[in-house]
């Protein structure tokens, strides 16, 4: 099986059958080999740098009803909140002082945040922090709305495709959400000019090896700048409350496959990975990831943005999260850097070598 990993590293893609073979025949030794290769590729492009993104979970109101998600609209137990513009700007202020140069506004699909309100918010953040990148993660919108966000100054957009397999998508979402629209959004975002991120949960209910292989082909075809993956973790007030979580081991393996498939991709070691194992994020970095996303949300709302159970860092101040992650990265030989951490373009790479 090592030959398949070598082949993937050499040509940066495999067939669906080859991805399936690799995933199904993984052993601890094969996983270790994949991690070594993935790390080598990561070091070629990013050295031992780790990029940080300050995550601001600015609303947990959501009009959607995704079966896996703790802030789905039919969860009456969720305590709903939305941050004001002043509160969001004050998160940015403390984040900037801590060395963050990317802010990620993530939330449910909250109808209160109309296009006009989003545009106003984007403008005020970019006006105050022109040196920072602004990433949005607020779900499915029309192309026109995405265009307006971009023109207001947003730089990046995260929208996990969740699963590339249409039948599997239908098992995870109610009928009013369609896999075609989700993919349409991703293509619009890329065409508009956003640095775009897709991604999926590992071990979500109904996921098969074939689904994962389809995810790899979809991602290779889309060529996103970022890919967010993490284990599915049940939330006790959702229809999937009794479903088993995705595993650390499979998530790390998928991170390795992603690094070899898209060598320069921005790949976070996610909070969900840190939730299923105390050293999950460290292991994610060692498997090929190069981004961490500590939380900048005010402590008062931290324990309300609960997509899944046992989420880590819900009681910590931003500074504690940042310090903790910097120390964790140092302990494994990596360094959190003060940088926007953009996707490397060919000209930026040439600059670095001259
Ligand atoms: N509303 C935005 C942001 C969604 S939350 C959007 O639609 O893009 C960000 C991600 O958290 C989701 O895309 C999903 O992949 C992940 N997530 C949601 N529930 C989860 C769970 N129970 N376990 C693990 N990840 C989950």
């Amino acid at each position: 099986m090592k030959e398949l990993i070598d082949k993937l590293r050499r040509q940066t893609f495999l067939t669906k059958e080859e991805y399936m073979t690799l995933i199904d025949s993984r052993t601890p030794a094969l996983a270790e080999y994949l991690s070594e290769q993935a790390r080598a590729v990561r070091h070629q492009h990013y050295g031992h740098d780790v990029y940080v993104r300050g995550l601001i979970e600015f609303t947990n109101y959501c009009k959607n009803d995704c079966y896996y998600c703790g802030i789905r609209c039919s969860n009456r137990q969720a305590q709903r909140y939305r941050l004001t513009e002043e509160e969001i700007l004050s998160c940015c202020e403390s984040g900037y002082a801590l060395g963050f140069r990317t802010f990620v506004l993530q939330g449910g699909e909250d109808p209160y945040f109309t296009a006009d309100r989003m545009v106003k918010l984007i403008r005020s953040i970019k006006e105050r922090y022109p040196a920072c990148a602004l990433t949005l993660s607020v779900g499915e919108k029309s192309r026109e709305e995405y265009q307006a966000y971009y023109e207001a100054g947003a730089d990046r957009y995260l929208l996990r495709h969740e699963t590339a397999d249409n039948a599997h998508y239908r098992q995870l979402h109610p009928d009013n959400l369609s896999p075609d629209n989700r993919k349409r959004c991703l293509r619009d975002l890329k065409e508009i000019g956003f640095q775009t991120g897709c991604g999926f949960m590992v071990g979500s209910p109904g996921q098969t090896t074939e689904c994962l292989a389809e995810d790899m082909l979809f991602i290779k075809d889309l060529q996103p700048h970022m890919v967010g993956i993490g284990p599915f973790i049940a939330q006790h007030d959702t229809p999937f409350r009794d479903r088993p979580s995705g595993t650390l081991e499979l998530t790390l393996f998928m991170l390795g496959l992603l690094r070899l498939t898209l060598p320069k991709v921005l790949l976070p070691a996610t909070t969900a990975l840190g939730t299923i194992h105390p050293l999950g994020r460290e292991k994610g970095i060692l498997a090929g990831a190069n981004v961490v996303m500590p939380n900048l949300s005010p402590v008062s709302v931290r324990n309300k943005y609960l997509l899944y159970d046992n989420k880590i860092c819900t009681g910590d101040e931003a500074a504690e999260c940042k310090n903790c992650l910097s120390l964790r990265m140092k302990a494994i030989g990596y360094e959190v850097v003060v940088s926007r951490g953009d996707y490397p373009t060919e000209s930026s790479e040439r600059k670095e070598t001259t």
Side-chain angles (χ1 to χ4, degrees):
M1 282 310 134
K2 283 189 176 172
E3 307 75 64
L4 268 185
I5 292 174
D6 293 338
K7 182 173 177 185
L8 175 57
R9 180 167 177 188
R10 211 168 46 241
Q11 66 178 27
T12 72
F13 63 90
L14 294 175
T15 64
K16 182 168 156 185
E17 291 66 33
E18 287 171 327
Y19 278 120
M20 288 177 70
T21 306
L22 259 185
I23 295 168
D24 278 336
S25 50
R26 62 192 200 280
T27 59
L30 192 70
E32 184 48 44
Y33 186 71
L34 174 60
S35 270
E36 283 164 21
Q37 301 302 311
R39 273 202 300 278
V41 169
R42 179 253 204 256
H43 294 154
Q44 273 172 20
H45 298 288
Y46 296 103
H48 287 67
D49 289 356
V50 175
Y51 294 146
V52 275
R53 319 302 194 193
L55 186 62
I56 304 169
E57 298 157 335
F58 73 109
T59 172
N60 73 350
Y61 283 90
C62 192
K63 66 180 168 62
N64 291 335
D65 215 16
C66 308
Y67 302 143
Y68 45 85
C69 184
I71 63 168
R72 64 199 298 266
C73 62
S74 44
N75 182 7
R76 311 298 290 271
Q77 303 305 317
Q79 292 177 44
R80 305 288 170 173
Y81 72 90
R82 60 174 69 92
L83 300 182
T84 62
E85 185 168 318
E86 292 64 44
E87 287 171 316
I88 295 170
L89 287 166
S90 114
C91 292
C92 296
E93 189 181 337
S94 40
Y96 190 86
L98 290 167
F100 289 93
R101 295 296 177 267
T102 293
F103 303 119
V104 182
L105 286 183
Q106 187 178 83
E109 290 196 19
D110 180 354
Y112 172 85
F113 286 99
T114 56
D116 286 349
R117 288 193 170 114
M118 283 305 296
V119 161
K120 183 166 170 287
L121 180 60
I122 295 163
R123 287 214 180 104
S124 33
I125 296 174
K126 289 295 289 195
E127 200 174 291
R128 265 169 239 213
Y129 301 97
C132 295
L134 180 59
T135 306
L136 303 177
S137 178
V138 292
E140 298 176 29
K141 310 284 170 185
S142 65
R143 184 175 177 122
E144 293 66 38
E145 197 158 340
Y146 288 146
Q147 184 74 46
Y149 297 169
Y150 189 74
E151 283 165 17
D155 304 275
R156 309 185 187 136
Y157 204 102
L158 299 176
L159 185 81
R160 291 188 178 180
H161 63 285
E162 311 298 357
T163 172
D165 183 283
N166 289 351
H168 184 220
Y169 194 93
R170 301 241 171 255
Q171 286 177 261
L172 300 178
H173 302 94
D175 284 347
N176 67 323
L177 295 175
S178 95
D180 291 341
N181 192 53
R182 196 112 182 138
K183 290 175 186 163
R184 185 275 303 162
C185 289
L186 282 164
R187 296 194 196 281
D188 281 349
L189 288 162
K190 257 203 94 177
E191 277 173 26
I192 289 169
F194 283 100
Q195 289 180 45
T196 302
C198 66
F200 55 91
M201 289 175 287
V202 176
S204 58
Q207 184 177 65
T208 61
T209 304
E210 187 172 4
C211 297
L212 289 169
E214 287 174 38
D215 286 325
M216 296 306 300
L217 297 192
F218 171 73
I219 289 168
K220 187 66 195 176
D221 180 57
L222 179 68
Q223 297 274 330
H225 305 89
M226 314 172 273
V227 178
I229 71 163
F232 159 75
I233 303 171
Q235 201 283 351
H236 62 276
D237 290 313
T238 62
F240 290 158
R241 60 176 66 84
D242 295 322
R243 301 304 190 96
S245 294
T247 65
L248 174 73
E249 178 269 319
L250 182 55
T251 307
L252 297 177
F253 199 83
M254 296 311 298
L255 285 172
L257 293 183
L258 284 164
R259 174 59 65 206
L260 296 189
T261 301
L262 294 174
K264 295 197 281 184
V265 77
L266 294 159
L267 195 59
T270 54
T271 306
L273 193 55
T275 297
I276 53 162
H277 189 284
L279 295 176
R281 287 166 301 177
E282 287 88 331
K283 289 172 186 287
I285 296 292
L286 292 169
N290 66 327
V291 175
V292 288
M293 299 173 69
N295 205 313
L296 281 184
S297 311
V299 178
S300 56
V301 302
R302 280 290 177 100
N303 58 353
K304 299 193 174 84
Y305 196 81
L306 299 176
L307 311 181
Y308 48 82
D309 288 343
N310 305 316
K311 186 179 175 197
I312 53 170
C313 311
T314 51
D316 300 348
E317 294 282 354
E320 295 174 65
C321 277
K322 168 80 195 311
N323 289 339
C324 164
L325 269 171
S326 295
L327 289 172
R328 283 168 178 267
M329 295 301 115
K330 218 173 215 124
I332 55 167
Y334 288 79
E335 192 195 353
V336 168
V337 293
V338 176
S339 158
R340 275 176 50 124
D342 284 295
Y343 186 82
T345 57
E346 267 163 43
S347 61
S348 73
E349 285 195 309
R350 242 179 285 128
K351 234 182 289 158
E352 273 155 35
T353 52
T354 52

